[in-house]
Each structure stands twice: as C-alpha cells, then as structure tokens.
Amino acid sequence: MNAALVSAMLGLGLAVIMVRRRSVAILLLAAQSLVLSIGALSLTGGRSGDSLVASFVLLSKAIVLPLLLYALIRRTREVRLVVATTSPLMRLLGAGAVVLCAVTLVPPLGLGDAHTEHAAVALVLLGITIVVARRPVLFQLLGLIVAENGLSLLAVSVPGGLSYVIELGALFDLALIVTVAAAFAHRIHSQLGTGDSELLRGLRD
Amino acid sequence: MTDLVPILVAVVPGIPLVGMALALIARTPRQADLLALATALPAAAAATALAATALARGGQPALRGQWYLLDGASGVLLAVIALVGLCSFAVSPAYLRTSGRSWTTAARSRSLYYAALFLFWAALLAVPIVGNLAAAWLIIEATTAASALLVAFSGRREALEAGWKYLLLTTLGLSVALLGIIVLAISQANAGHHDLHALDWHALRGAAHALPKDSTLVAFVLLLAGLATKIGWAPVHNWLPDAHSEAPAPISALLSAALLPSVLLIAWRVKAMLEPSVGSNTTHAVFIAFGLTSILVAVPFLWQSLPWKRLLAYSSLEHMGVIGLGIGFGTPLAIAGVVLHVAGHALAKALGFYAALPLLRIDPAAAHRAPAGVVSESPSTAAAMGVSLLALSGLPPSPLFLSELLILLGGVAAGDPLISAIALIALALGFLGLLHALIEGVVGERARHRRRARSRAERPIVALTAILGSGLLALAAAGLLLPGSSFVETLARGAL
C-alpha cells in the first residue's frame, strides 16, 4: 500500500490516543477507516469482486460504525469531561514508545514491505494502549477498532488479498462486537451516570 | 452413520440458530421456556449423534469435508458441549424466575437471554468441528459477543464490570491471534496458496514443512498468546474470575465447561499443525509454560475464603493449566489424561455452578462471601457442592484423579520429571485448599438468617447431582480403557 496512506493511518491512530473529546476521536477514527479503505481499493487492481468487498468495508467502517458511535455519544452525554489519568503529552510519548517498539522488535512477517508490517503491528499495539490508557469506555471501544484497522491494513496487503469470507466475516464480527460494546457503554452510563471505566473497579480478591 | 455426517454438521449449529429466532418471537415467559427446551433437546440429540460417530471411529483418520473436520477430540468436545448446554437450558427457567428485571423488562429480558444463549451455544457447537483456522477464529469471536451480554445479564454494576472486562480483554486477545493468522496467510500466499482453504487444518499441516520457520514461529506465538486470553490461562486470565462469578449460573457452567476447553482445542490444533515448522521443543515449552503458570497462580486462591462461584472460577484456571500441561507433554499417556480431564472437569464444574442456583436462593449473601454450613439448610445442595468439589479436587474415584495421574506420568515419559514434580506439589496443595473449602463451606457451622430450602425447589439439583455424578463415575471407569487405545495414539500423533 502507498507509504503516505500507511503513515496517515498511523498518525490518525496516534491522534486518537491524544484527543480529549469523544466526537473528535470518532472523526479521527472515521478518517483512519477511510484512508484504509482508499488504500484497499487502490490494491484491488480493478478486480470487480475485490472492489465490491472493499467498497462494502468502506461503507461499513468509515460511515456506518462512526455514525453508530456518534449516536451513542448523543445518548450518553457527559456532564463534564472524564479526567484523564495522564496528560496528552505523556500519552503521546507512551504511544510513540509503542510505535518504536513495533519498528525495532517486529521481525519480518513475509510481506516484503517493512513499512506496512511495522505500521500494522504498531496500530494493533496502539489500540491496546488506548484501551489501557484511556478511562472513558467509548475510548476503550475506539481502541478495539484502531487495533482492528491495523489488522485490516495487514490483511489487505497480503499478496492476492485474503479470502472474502475472512474479510466479510471479520467485518461482521467487528460490527457484532461494536454493537454489544455500545450496548454496554449505554448501560454503564445509565447505571453510573458517566462512562468513566475507573468506576468499574469493584471486583477484587 | 458416516453418510449422515455432512447433514449433522449443518444441523448441529443450525438448530440452535432456529432456537434463537424462536426465542425472539416468544410472547410470554412460559412460552419462551418451553420453546427453548423444545429446541435444545433435538440440538443436543444431533450433537450427541455426531459426537458418537466421531468417537466410534476410534483411531481411524478424521472425517473431512469442505468446511468441517471431525476427529476424536471433536467428539469429546461435542458430547461435553451438548450435555452441559442442555443442562444449562434445563436450569435456566429456575434462574430466570428469580433474576427479575435486568437490562430491559422481565419478559423481554427472558427472550434476549435465550436468544443470546442459543447464539452462544451454536457457536460453541461449531468450534470443535470447523475445519479451518480462520473460520474457527470468526466463530470464537462470535462467542465473545453473545457471552459478554450473558455475563452482564443481571445488569448489576459488578456484572457490567465483569462483562465489559471480558469483552475488552478477550477481543484484544483475539486480535493478537488474528494477527498470527494473517502472518500464516502471508506465508501461504507467498507459497502460491491464496484461497480460504489454504488455512484449512489439514492444508496447513501439509504445508507446515515448507513454511518459513521465523515467520511461522511469530505466527505460533501470536496465536497462542491471543488464544491464551480466551482460554483464561495465566498471566492473561484477569477476566476469568470476574466473568465466571458474575454470570448467571447456567452461563458460568457453559463458560467453564465448554468455552474454555473449546478454545483450548483450537490451540491444540494450532500446535499439531505448526509443530513440523516451529519444532516440538518450542511448542512443548509454550504449552508447559502457560499450563504450569496457570496452576501456580490458581492454587493460592483455592486456599482463600472466596464466594462459591469465584472459587470455582479459580478452579477453572487450575484445570485449564492441567490440560495445557498435558497437551504440552504430548505423550500418549498425557493425551489420555487430557481427554479424560476435559470431560471430567466439564461434568464436575457444571454441577458446581448449577448448585449455585439453590445456594443463592437459600443464602443470597453467598454471592459475596464464602458459603458456610450449607448441609444444615439444604442437604441436596450440599450434596451437589460436595460431589463437585470432591471431583474437582481429584479425590478417587473422581475421573480427575486418574486424568491428573496420567498427565503427570505422561510428563515423566516426556522427559520432564521436574515439571511433573512441581505440578504434583501444586495440585496436592490445590486439593487441600478445595478440601478446606468443602469442610468450611458445606459441612461447617452455618451462617444466620437463612431460608430453609423447600424440598420441591431442590428437585432439579437432586436430579442433576444424580445424572452428572453417575457420569463422573462412568468416566472414571471409561478412563481406565484410554491409555494405550488407538483413539489416544491417533490424537497424540496430532493426525488431522
């Protein structure tokens, strides 16, 4: 995939971990999914089946899922922003360290394109970092999708592409997980009056 | 019977999916209960028939179709999932009668409960028979969505916490596993195999020798690390005690007895197919590390005074460790132990979780603290708890005594006497911990302010104790025939 598109995906992933507002984070994620889909479409080489699947994924990930998430934040309004445990700069430094780890530690995965391999693994790690570092449940959900975009980046770059069954199956699973997670986020907000996951720390031994 | 296999393979997960649709159109709670049980019965019968077909083939090669693979391990898992699933449907009305309102109205909650349970069961029944690694991943991911809703079904704050944690951690774990699958797909694509069937179990096994060692090793480690999260192996087990203890008892039984070993089966298949490329030393080391760590992490918790379901959850961690250890040793003796352990653990653990239903009815506070003196309030519940704990602790004639013995001897045969010795000491300490819980919780001095159980309400647990207790004894007898059998030899060779 085009190196600029891959770098843009990584940059947007880094931005998700920094921003405070949920609506901005959703926009960034939609942009990341859009960049991924443009890259995927450019790799189809005009094959109609591949283009159709890539277009369907584009519609789902860059439009439908962000709209669902936006509807969720409309229904779970926060009286005030959830206080972050670390500053944006610290989060960026942490995320930068994660990306650096991916670049230096990940061995060749066989793709023959080290930039894409490193970016894909870095996005998976960034997704995990977002889940760990951000307190609002919606950001944690966004972390899952950032990690999934990293996987999609690697999947669309497989020579000849992955089977439609896997791509569509993974998309179906993602939609299922996001729907269930959105239901959880809504329920957590109704129960606690906020989407702050710090309040969900009662179970201990 | 083999001619019917392709039909049964479609019918087994298909009937629960029909059940899911029926559950959503049920108008009254009674109708939902009846429809659920009426659909669960034929689904369990079809799954049992498929399991019997697989088991009757003994040491013969696995049956394969375009989308399925049916071997001895599939047979064991199918039988377990069918039985525990059916029992969970049978006891669900008792749970739902007392659960009240959860996420929505009581009537709607019941429909959603059954719909999610059928989806979860359908996915569980599909995991052991699916013939492709990527398809297996997709199905396991689907189990997460359905079961997370069930874990948080009560809608209580603690249940939401447990369900959210389970959803996040297992989804992230499975993302790591998917990364491993894509790395394998890249290797296969570089070798000219592009389509979905390049990730079929037998295709991967056939191509393993030709796969590049370094990237296959990366794929293996990623797959195992990711699946370990869903299996609940230490150190990535954080969701397990919370989810098992907060879920409704029928769901906890399915999670522990069916979900964890089903995912473990996929990990086992990954080991079998990639071993020619990665090397047996590496695969053994990874499984033994996860297995032994899980046992060592679980045992101290078995000594703590924990609520009943939380104690059972830590026991699951211990037993998944034992099974991982057995697969890691990989000798025929150890594999005989693994087969017996999967079945024995499922029956004993399911009975333990079902016993939580009458226990929490007579003593609701037992959800948050260790039970005490249950025998004086409800002898039937105490009997179920006692049978479950004694079986789980591995006291003869429990089949888990024989299975653990076989696994440890299998470790010695594999040239790992030190690992076997450490595991033996840890299991002995775990045994004492569970015995302590039995004496304190079941026989000891009773807590105050508790309702005395009505004999009519105790009938289901009496029946389940009789059925599952007899099953445990039958397994102990059947287990004696396993070592040296062609069935076990084939599994130990990893033939797919």
Side-chain angles (χ1 to χ4, degrees):
Chain A
M1 192 186 284
N2 182 299
L5 291 178
V6 173
S7 301
M9 281 188 70
L10 198 53
L12 289 163
L14 284 168
V16 172
I17 203 168
M18 281 185 66
V19 296
R20 294 178 68 201
R21 295 205 163 270
R22 299 181 299 171
S23 53
V24 179
I26 291 172
L27 269 177
L28 290 167
L29 188 80
Q32 190 189 53
S33 301
L34 185 67
V35 172
L36 170 68
S37 305
I38 291 167
L41 274 170
S42 71
L43 287 174
T44 57
R47 292 185 299 271
S48 58
D50 291 359
S51 302
L52 192 69
V53 172
S55 306
F56 183 68
V57 173
L58 163 75
L59 186 73
S60 309
K61 289 178 92 169
I63 300 169
V64 179
L65 285 185
L67 281 177
L68 172 73
L69 295 173
Y70 189 71
L72 176 66
I73 60 170
R74 295 268 306 215
R75 297 183 66 177
T76 56
R77 289 196 184 280
E78 296 283 356
V79 179
R80 64 181 72 86
L81 286 176
V82 174
V83 179
T85 41
T86 48
S87 68
L89 185 65
M90 284 303 291
R91 291 201 296 271
L92 183 65
L93 283 175
V98 164
V99 174
L100 208 62
C101 280
V103 171
T104 51
L105 297 180
V106 174
L109 303 178
L111 210 55
D113 175 0
H115 185 51
T116 303
E117 288 178 353
H118 292 155
V121 176
L123 280 171
V124 174
L125 295 178
L126 261 181
I128 296 173
T129 311
I130 292 170
V131 171
V132 174
R134 300 308 304 262
R135 284 168 55 172
V137 289
L138 186 109
F139 270 93
Q140 295 181 330
L141 172 52
L142 295 183
L144 293 183
I145 305 175
V146 168
E148 213 281 334
N149 276 350
L151 293 171
S152 296
L153 171 63
L154 199 62
V156 297
S157 309
V158 174
L162 274 188
S163 156
Y164 301 150
V165 179
I166 303 176
E167 286 201 36
L168 294 176
L171 180 66
F172 172 76
D173 274 351
L174 178 69
L176 202 62
I177 292 287
V178 170
T179 308
V180 170
F184 263 92
H186 186 251
R187 180 75 192 176
I188 288 167
H189 191 274
S190 323
Q191 187 108 332
L192 307 179
T194 172
D196 186 356
S197 63
E198 276 296 299
L199 301 176
L200 293 171
R201 286 176 179 261
L203 294 168
R204 289 273 190 280
D205 286 312
Chain B
M1 193 69 179
T2 339
D3 300 339
L4 289 175
V5 165
I7 300 169
L8 284 172
V9 163
V11 162
V12 164
I15 299 175
L17 291 177
V18 172
M20 184 177 85
L22 290 175
L24 290 172
I25 57 168
R27 290 186 177 175
T28 62
R30 172 116 182 106
Q31 204 178 51
D33 290 345
L34 286 175
L35 274 174
L37 202 56
T39 319
L41 273 168
T48 308
L50 195 57
T53 309
L55 294 172
R57 290 175 59 79
Q60 291 181 58
L63 285 170
R64 281 205 315 256
Q66 195 179 4
W67 289 102
Y68 69 85
L69 178 130
L70 192 70
D71 63 353
S74 314
V76 174
L77 259 298
L78 273 174
V80 161
I81 298 166
L83 178 62
V84 178
L86 183 64
C87 291
S88 285
F89 273 100
V91 301
S92 284
Y95 165 75
L96 291 165
R97 263 197 298 278
T98 52
S99 67
R101 192 175 184 281
S102 64
W103 287 38
T104 172
T105 61
R108 189 83 192 124
S109 288
R110 191 170 288 224
S111 289
L112 290 176
Y113 172 90
Y114 281 125
L117 181 51
F118 270 123
L119 178 62
F120 182 35
W121 199 32
L124 280 176
L125 286 166
V127 171
I129 51 177
V130 70
N132 181 283
L133 172 60
W137 182 90
L138 292 172
I139 298 168
I140 292 171
E141 180 79 320
T143 65
T144 303
S147 53
L149 282 175
L150 290 165
V151 166
F153 178 77
S154 73
R156 289 183 303 110
R157 185 177 173 141
E158 294 84 359
L160 283 173
E161 179 183 341
W164 181 249
K165 197 188 275 186
Y166 168 61
L167 185 71
L168 280 185
L169 294 181
T170 56
T171 304
L172 283 178
L174 289 175
S175 296
V176 173
L178 182 58
L179 187 58
I181 294 172
I182 298 172
V183 173
L184 271 182
I186 292 170
S187 299
Q188 284 286 63
N190 288 338
H193 308 298
H194 292 282
D195 67 346
L196 175 67
H197 294 296
L199 293 173
D200 283 354
W201 295 118
H202 69 279
L204 282 166
R205 173 83 177 182
H209 284 289
L211 291 174
K213 189 178 176 186
D214 289 344
S215 61
T216 309
L217 179 62
V218 172
F220 176 75
V221 171
L222 289 170
L223 269 161
L224 259 289
L227 292 175
T229 316
K230 186 83 179 179
I231 294 165
W233 270 334
V236 280
H237 65 287
N238 304 50
W239 65 270
L240 191 147
D242 298 344
H244 282 51
S245 58
E246 292 303 322
I251 307 306
S252 305
L254 264 176
L255 284 173
S256 182
L259 176 68
L260 307 186
S262 297
V263 185
L264 230 162
L265 172 66
I266 300 303
W268 186 3
R269 292 210 199 288
V270 168
K271 172 181 179 280
M273 72 184 180
L274 295 185
E275 206 160 65
S277 173
V278 174
S280 57
N281 286 345
T282 307
T283 57
H284 288 193
V286 171
F287 271 82
I288 287 171
F290 274 125
L292 196 59
T293 309
S294 300
I295 297 172
L296 294 175
V297 167
V299 166
F301 289 99
L302 301 181
W303 275 89
Q304 286 189 23
S305 180
L306 292 173
W308 175 247
K309 285 169 72 188
R310 216 163 168 83
L311 180 76
L312 293 180
Y314 280 108
S315 157
S316 294
L317 176 60
E318 181 200 24
H319 287 290
M320 289 309 115
V322 172
I323 295 169
L325 208 57
I327 296 172
F329 291 146
T331 54
L333 267 183
I335 296 302
V338 166
V339 170
L340 189 58
H341 206 88
V342 167
H345 167 259
L347 299 192
K349 191 54 67 66
L351 179 61
F353 279 117
Y354 298 143
L357 282 172
L359 171 69
L360 294 178
R361 204 162 41 233
I362 55 173
D363 183 12
H368 308 291
R369 56 150 176 75
V374 179
V375 72
S376 59
E377 306 292 335
S378 170
S380 309
T381 306
M385 292 166 71
V387 169
S388 171
L389 269 194
L390 288 173
L392 289 170
S393 67
L395 187 77
S398 163
L400 299 190
F401 169 75
L402 181 58
S403 63
E404 286 172 1
L405 188 65
L406 288 171
I407 288 171
L408 295 177
L409 290 175
V412 175
D416 289 317
L418 184 63
I419 303 286
S420 289
I422 296 169
L424 175 65
I425 294 166
L427 289 174
L429 290 171
F431 167 79
L432 292 174
L434 288 181
L435 214 58
H436 173 253
L438 178 75
I439 293 166
E440 288 287 312
V442 180
V443 188
E445 201 174 314
R446 70 175 184 168
R448 287 178 183 177
H449 308 303
R450 288 208 309 227
R451 293 174 226 163
R452 184 168 284 276
R454 286 173 297 172
S455 61
R456 188 164 162 265
E458 289 193 328
R459 276 182 211 156
I461 197 64
V462 172
L464 282 169
T465 309
I467 293 167
L468 297 177
S470 310
L472 284 166
L473 288 175
L475 270 178
L480 295 170
L481 305 172
L482 277 177
S485 66
S486 59
F487 174 78
V488 165
E489 297 289 336
T490 307
L491 284 177
R493 280 200 308 273
L496 296 176

